[in-house]
Every structure is written in structure tokens, then in C-alpha cells.
């Protein structure tokens, strides 16, 4: 279960980066960081890559099904994280690539879950489970306006990167397993 340290590392790095972008205040310790203002953009690499502070009230890639689904998304994410932790325990003797991919997904999902559950209360704009996810990596590949939505412009965070990397690794881990099983079956069928 040492791979849970990967989940914890993703969670910590994700939350520190979001707090740095959004800003925070701990009056008891006299610590305050202003952060960026909503929509502020800092160019990093031309117009292709920027640091832009946005808050996502929906799910991945800005999909938003309305406030009535917000609680359901938060609860589903919580259940998914718990289920993935249980699954990670069940596969503790499986290859590291499989366990690492699940650990990345857990860390990323938990990072965005913290935003959804607590940020509304912490930043005094809504109640528990109704917070917004802080996004800031801004990739602008192209701009296509379709149905009043701009496509080709993606703003995401470290948690999103971890989930995406975990899913890709998971596909390769299972793909490699399926390839090995297929090769073994082929060799058994053609042993003469």
C-alpha cells in the first residue's frame, strides 16, 4: 500500500498549487496570500500556455449540468474515491503499474473532491459539497465557437493531470495484460 503515498503527494501538491493560485488567509497565524484574481492570465509560453485562474462549478472540461447535480457529483466522486481505495487494497499483489495508475486517480479525484466539498465554506461563497474546483493550467490549441461554447481552450489543474495520467496508465496496464494473454493463447494454439 506504499503507492498511497503517491496519492497523498498528488493531493498535497494539488491543494498547495490551488491555494497559491486562489489565495488564502489564516488570521490566527497572521498568514495571508492574495493569489490571483478570477480570470487573471499570466503568459508562460506565447499564447499557447498560460496560468489563468478560473473556477469550475461543473465537472471535467467545464461541463456543467446545473446546481441540482452538484451534490450528486460530489457524492459520486466521494464514493468513487472510497471504492478505488478498496480496489487498491484488493490489488496489492498486482503489478506496480496497475497500482500506481489507481493511486494517481485516487490522488487526483480526492484533490478535486476537497475543492467541491470544502472550498465553498472555506471561501464563504456556498455550503458544503457545493464548492468550485480551482483550475489554472491554460492550454489554447485553437478556438472554435460551437453552441455558445468555446472548444480548443482547456483549463485544468494538477488533480486533472493525475487522473488523466492514471487512466492512460491503466489502459496501458490492461492493454499489456490483454496482449500477453493473447500471445500466450496464440502460442498454445499453434504449438505444433
Amino acid at each position: 500500500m506504499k503507492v498511497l503515498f503517491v496519492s497523498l503527494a498528488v493531493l498535497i501538491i494539488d491543494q498547495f498549487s490551488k491555494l497559491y493560485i486562489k489565495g488564502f488567509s489564516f488570521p490566527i497565524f497572521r498568514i495571508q496570500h492574495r493569489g490571483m484574481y478570477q480570470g487573471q492570465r499570466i503568459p508562460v509560453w506565447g499564447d499557447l500556455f498560460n496560468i489563468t485562474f478560473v473556477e469550475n462549478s461543473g465537472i471535467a472540461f467545464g461541463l456543467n449540468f446545473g446546481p441540482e447535480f452538484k451534490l450528486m457529483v460530489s457524492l459520486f466522486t466521494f464514493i468513487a474515491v472510497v471504492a478505488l481505495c478498496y480496489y487498491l487494497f484488493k490489488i496489492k499483489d498486482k503489478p506496480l503499474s496497475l497500482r500506481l495508475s489507481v493511486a494517481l486517480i485516487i490522488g487526483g479525484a480526492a484533490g478535486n473532491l476537497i475543492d467541491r466539498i470544502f472550498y465553498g465554506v472555506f471561501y464563504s461563497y456556498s455550503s458544503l459539497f457545493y464548492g468550485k474546483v480551482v483550475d489554472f493550467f491554460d492550454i489554447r490549441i485553437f478556438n472554435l465557437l460551437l453552441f455558445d461554447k468555446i472548444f480548443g481552450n482547456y483549463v485544468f489543474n494538477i488533480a486533472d493531470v493525475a487522473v488523466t495520467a492514471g487512466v492512460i496508465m491503466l489502459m496501458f496496464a490492461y492493454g499489456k495484460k490483454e496482449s500477453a494473454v493473447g500471445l500466450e493463447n496464440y502460442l498454445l494454439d499453434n504449438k505444433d
Side-chain angles (χ1 to χ4, degrees):
M1 297 296 288
K2 291 179 183 177
V3 292
L4 277 177
F5 286 113
V6 172
S7 302
L8 183 62
V10 167
L11 180 68
I12 290 170
I13 293 167
D14 175 66
Q15 287 301 306
F16 273 117
S17 67
K18 289 172 179 175
L19 290 172
Y20 182 78
I21 294 295
K22 187 166 175 67
F24 58 88
S25 177
F26 296 111
I28 290 176
F29 301 111
R30 295 183 182 166
I31 299 173
Q32 181 176 359
H33 172 67
R34 283 193 186 273
M36 297 172 66
Y37 58 83
Q38 187 78 248
Q40 182 179 356
R41 183 169 71 132
I42 301 170
V44 176
W45 190 23
D47 205 33
L48 182 66
F49 178 60
N50 304 282
I51 301 296
T52 305
F53 172 37
V54 298
E55 289 184 299
N56 180 355
S57 60
I59 58 174
F61 303 109
L63 294 175
N64 193 347
F65 300 108
E68 58 275 3
F69 290 99
K70 187 79 174 155
L71 179 61
M72 220 174 3
V73 168
S74 296
L75 291 175
F76 174 78
T77 305
F78 176 77
I79 292 167
V81 168
V82 171
L84 285 169
C85 287
Y86 175 74
Y87 178 66
L88 189 61
F89 175 75
K90 295 297 280 183
I91 63 168
K92 64 182 177 222
D93 297 325
K94 298 294 181 190
L96 178 62
S97 60
L98 178 61
R99 292 180 288 132
L100 186 58
S101 63
V102 173
L104 285 169
I105 295 169
I106 290 170
N112 283 339
L113 181 63
I114 287 173
D115 295 23
R116 287 189 184 106
I117 293 176
F118 300 110
Y119 276 28
V121 173
F122 186 70
Y123 289 102
S124 304
Y125 65 81
S126 77
S127 59
L128 280 176
F129 291 97
Y130 289 90
K132 299 175 185 174
V133 175
V134 174
D135 290 329
F136 52 90
F137 291 134
D138 183 0
I139 304 288
R140 296 169 184 251
I141 301 169
F142 58 85
N143 286 327
L144 173 66
L145 181 64
L146 188 63
F147 304 115
D148 292 329
K149 178 91 172 133
I150 296 176
F151 294 91
N153 183 15
Y154 304 102
V155 185
F156 52 96
N157 58 43
I158 290 170
D160 298 335
V161 171
V163 169
T164 303
V167 168
I168 290 169
M169 285 178 63
L170 193 60
M171 290 188 312
F172 279 111
Y174 273 111
K176 192 186 311 183
K177 179 182 174 186
E178 292 300 318
S179 297
V181 169
L183 178 61
E184 181 180 323
N185 289 338
Y186 174 79
L187 292 174
L188 288 173
D189 291 343
N190 298 303
K191 63 182 176 183
D192 295 329

